[in-house]
Amino acid sequence: MAFLDLSENPIKIKNFRYFILGHFISFTGSWTYNTAIIWLVYELTRSSFYLGIFSLFNSLPTFVFSFLAGLIIDRFDRKKLLTWVVFLGIWPSVFLGFITQEGRLNFWLVVWINMVAVSLASVDTPLRQVFISEIVPANSLTKAISFQALSFNTARMVGPFLAGLIIAYGQVYQCFYFNALSYLPFLLFLLFFIKYQKSYHIDFENKKNFIEAFKEVFTLFRKQQALPAVLGMVFSFTFFGASILILFPIIVDKLFGGGGKEFGQLSSMVGIGAILGSVYIILGKVKNKLSKLWSSTCIFALGALGMVWSKIWWLTLFCCLLLGFSFTNFYPIANSYLQENTPTEIRGRVISFFTFSFLGVHPLGSFLAGVLAEKVGLGWLVSFYVLSLVLVNFFLLNIAKLKK
């Protein structure tokens, strides 16, 4: 990777500038919402059990709608669809803010409203990723997706901070209204400022059913076997890699005798590492995406092992920075590789597999890691996860290179 390469900069493209600004503002609101709703559930129940139930229901729409979302993305004009999804995304927050303000809520009502919001997000997330490929040229796609990752991770740091301030000095329902307002700039940009020519044809007369539509994807996978191999690497990186972040409280408590302050420091270092990783991709030029996926896997492996076996706090913090750095060197590269090698008319369906391999798998991997940590010990569990990740991704990488 050649460092400091400012060519192919997507920020030069007006449509992308409007998109990334609206994306950042709306995701800042989303992270404010995510933080506030967890606090609201805890205030309502004072129970870790109900927090677990809420988390379970929070993940269900991703399992149910991931692949359907891909089909929807390919069957409709993507700009119009994104405009409608952003518009509809305003209302769950408005309704939740209102009933919270009026004191008319209970646990299950919060769960159902949030499931509506997450169902919309299950279409919104892959749609935004695919829409980027509609407004930037192919040679700028990797950097554009890295800008999106930078925007996402910056919002991930700013949103919870704002939620904390609003809850401390105001009321929790104000976080939900803030989230609703955060969608408005993005909606205005989509309606009036982002203009583009659709790059694919939608055949309304010969629409295929769900099974036939995904047969097209599997036909592509048979022809280009590097694509399912890369998806397998994403699945592996999420299940054996990103899922171990659930162990942070145990690391802080069992290994260092710390508390909330130290937990916050670990989480912040992951966020800082993710931002640095995005900037590294944006300022450089990736020559070989498959090799980059492997190097990111190795960086994660080193960080994860150092995190659980180190007895030195500053070294553990540095290892968490490596984890975050590897995330934003891995996922945007995998995403751009898939999009660049997929025909635009079925890109939504292919990216739905990516979304499932990322967001859909994460809760399952986190649950298993949490259960096993108590059975086999923290250090040995993470070592097993890391070994599995390295072996699986090495195997899949070689398949991808052979079938490229």
Side-chain angles (χ1 to χ4, degrees):
M1 175 173 173
F3 190 61
L4 201 56
D5 177 56
L6 300 179
S7 63
E8 304 167 359
N9 190 344
I11 290 297
K12 297 177 182 177
I13 302 168
K14 184 187 293 186
N15 279 340
F16 184 73
R17 290 200 298 271
Y18 286 126
F19 173 88
I20 203 67
L21 178 59
H23 176 81
F24 172 72
I25 295 171
S26 67
F27 258 100
T28 299
S30 296
W31 279 108
T32 304
Y33 169 94
N34 291 340
T35 304
I37 198 167
I38 291 174
W39 182 258
L40 177 65
V41 169
Y42 185 71
E43 276 194 329
L44 282 172
T45 65
R46 297 289 173 178
S47 166
S48 59
F49 171 76
Y50 279 102
L51 282 174
I53 294 294
F54 176 79
S55 178
L56 175 64
F57 278 88
N58 191 47
S59 65
L60 282 179
T62 304
F63 282 98
V64 175
F65 293 116
S66 285
F67 299 114
L68 180 61
L71 187 57
I72 292 171
I73 291 167
D74 287 336
R75 285 195 171 178
F76 295 94
D77 181 297
R78 287 163 185 164
K79 181 187 172 184
K80 291 180 181 178
L81 179 61
L82 182 57
T83 303
W84 274 107
V85 170
V86 170
F87 173 73
L88 293 173
I90 295 171
W91 300 106
S93 289
V94 170
F95 186 49
L96 186 57
F98 175 75
I99 64 170
T100 304
Q101 183 179 5
E102 296 297 315
R104 300 178 182 178
L105 75 172
N106 58 59
F107 171 74
W108 288 109
L109 184 57
V110 173
V111 167
W112 295 122
I113 295 172
N114 184 66
M115 286 187 69
V116 173
V118 176
S119 297
L120 289 167
S122 68
V123 179
D124 189 324
T125 301
L127 178 56
R128 292 192 193 201
Q129 294 170 352
V130 173
F131 186 68
I132 290 176
S133 67
E134 295 290 316
I135 58 175
V136 303
N139 59 359
S140 298
L141 185 58
T142 298
K143 290 190 178 185
I145 294 175
S146 293
F147 264 110
Q148 186 194 31
L150 175 62
S151 169
F152 176 85
N153 284 287
T154 304
R156 189 176 186 173
M157 297 181 70
V158 175
F161 176 75
L162 289 176
L165 290 178
I166 293 170
I167 293 170
Y169 297 102
Q171 299 291 332
V172 69
Y173 70 83
Q174 294 169 336
C175 294
F176 305 131
Y177 289 146
F178 175 78
N179 181 44
L181 290 172
S182 75
Y183 279 81
L184 293 179
F186 199 17
L187 182 62
L188 292 175
F189 292 155
L190 287 165
L191 285 171
F192 302 111
F193 296 96
I194 297 176
K195 303 181 186 301
Y196 83 110
Q197 285 294 113
K198 190 170 62 193
S199 62
Y200 60 100
H201 172 69
I202 302 173
D203 188 353
F204 288 101
E205 295 182 358
N206 298 303
K207 284 187 176 180
K208 302 175 179 66
N209 62 38
F210 185 87
I211 295 175
E212 290 174 336
F214 274 92
K215 280 183 179 178
E216 291 184 329
V217 178
F218 291 113
T219 299
L220 175 68
F221 286 171
R222 283 195 297 270
K223 292 178 179 178
Q224 298 189 47
Q225 294 181 30
L227 296 179
V230 169
L231 284 169
M233 292 180 74
V234 174
F235 186 104
S236 170
F237 194 90
T238 302
F239 189 90
F240 294 117
S243 297
I244 70 169
L245 297 189
I246 196 71
L247 303 176
F248 273 13
I250 304 174
I251 292 170
V252 166
D253 180 34
K254 302 297 184 182
L255 300 185
F256 294 97
K261 176 183 175 182
E262 289 76 14
F263 173 70
Q265 289 174 355
L266 289 188
S267 300
S268 295
M269 289 305 289
V270 173
I272 293 170
I275 291 172
L276 291 175
S278 296
V279 172
Y280 179 68
I281 298 295
I282 290 167
L283 294 180
K285 186 178 182 66
V286 179
K287 294 182 177 179
N288 188 320
K289 288 184 169 62
L290 294 178
S291 295
K292 189 64 179 174
L293 294 177
W294 174 244
S295 65
S296 300
T297 298
C298 293
I299 290 171
F300 178 88
L302 289 173
L305 290 175
M307 179 182 68
V308 293
W309 292 110
S310 168
K311 305 297 182 183
I312 305 170
W313 179 245
W314 68 262
L315 183 56
T316 298
L317 290 174
F318 176 75
C319 289
C320 287
L321 186 144
L322 291 181
L323 298 185
F325 186 87
S326 71
F327 291 157
T328 47
N329 273 251
F330 186 91
Y331 288 113
I333 298 296
N335 187 309
S336 65
Y337 182 90
L338 292 168
Q339 294 207 51
E340 289 168 1
N341 291 279
T342 301
T344 185
E345 62 271 13
I346 64 170
R347 195 168 289 160
R349 278 162 281 175
V350 172
I351 294 303
S352 72
F353 280 87
F354 173 86
T355 305
F356 181 81
S357 299
F358 177 33
L359 297 178
V361 171
H362 191 271
L364 178 61
S366 297
F367 172 75
L368 190 61
V371 171
L372 292 177
E374 296 184 357
K375 306 292 184 181
V376 301
L378 189 62
W380 293 113
L381 172 66
V382 172
S383 297
F384 172 75
Y385 264 45
V386 166
L387 179 62
S388 300
L389 170 62
V390 169
L391 291 177
V392 170
N393 277 18
F394 180 75
F395 173 72
L396 291 172
L397 174 72
N398 282 280
I399 292 178
K401 286 183 174 180
L402 287 171
K403 302 297 183 179
K404 185 177 177 183

